[in-house]
Amino acid sequence: MYLNILNRINIFDNYILYAIKKYLKNRYLDRLMPIVTVMGNLGIVWIIVAVTLMLDKPYKRIGGIVILTLIISTIIGEGIVKHIVRRVRPCNDKSNINLLISKPISYSFPSGHTSSSFAVAWVLSMYFSEYKIIFMTMAFLIALSRLYLYVHYPTDVIGGIIIGIICSKLVFIILNEVSIQNIYRIYKNILMRG
């Protein structure tokens, strides 16, 4: 049964990659998608957003939360899950692929670009809901670029989306716990003085 599920996942993944290659691949996207994917390299686009927020005093805390989210999603996705799953990338699995970017050396599942992008897009959407469509579109395009460039399977991207959203929720849980502990500590100090 386990092998049957893996076989079905493999069929799904390869069908989607085939459809992207057959129906989406063109010279314009061949130029655009490497640029889009670079935005997600090391979370660079999200780091730029975080630094910009940190330079504006009212948004400094949100910038810090974005950095924290990137760190947590990287540790969980790249540092833990990738090394447990150890899935080979589609570009390593097939020999007749002409890559438009340099071949990544890490494992495939989950997509780190996708998990960090969706984690941060989710956090930013919580604070700037009027720009949610922009943040989510950026995250989606970065995720799509990973499929288009043949460096991830669709289930790597789906896993990245799920892990990213879980990481963003984890950040809010951590921040909420820290806030509750600080309030309790302040309340306790007031009682001790009084």
Side-chain angles (χ1 to χ4, degrees), residues 44-54 63 66 120 124 135 138:
I44 194 71
V45 70
W46 307 115
I47 291 170
I48 291 169
V49 169
V51 169
T52 303
L53 289 169
M54 292 170 107
V66 167
V120 172
L124 289 170
F135 301 135
M138 286 172 57

Side-chain angles (χ1 to χ4, degrees), residues 102-166:
S102 51
K103 188 183 280 191
I105 56 172
S106 65
Y107 294 112
S108 191
F109 184 91
S111 166
H113 283 68
T114 303
S115 62
S116 62
S117 293
F118 273 89
V120 172
W122 196 271
V123 165
L124 289 170
S125 295
M126 297 296 287
Y127 289 104
F128 306 104
S129 58
E130 66 273 21
Y131 301 113
K132 182 177 186 172
I133 191 79
I134 294 170
F135 301 135
M136 290 300 175
T137 299
M138 286 172 57
F140 174 78
L141 288 173
I142 290 170
L144 179 62
S145 76
R146 305 306 283 168
L147 296 173
Y148 186 89
L149 296 169
Y150 220 79
V151 293
H152 281 292
Y153 290 105
T155 49
D156 300 338
V157 168
I158 293 167
I161 292 169
I162 293 167
I163 289 171
I165 292 170
I166 289 170

Side-chain angles (χ1 to χ4, degrees), residues 22 24 27 29 82 87 89 108 113-114 119 158 161 171 176:
K22 183 174 181 177
L24 289 181
R27 63 182 182 190
L29 289 178
K82 271 194 192 225
R87 187 179 196 188
R89 291 177 182 271
S108 191
H113 283 68
T114 303
I158 293 167
I161 292 169
V171 166
N176 192 33

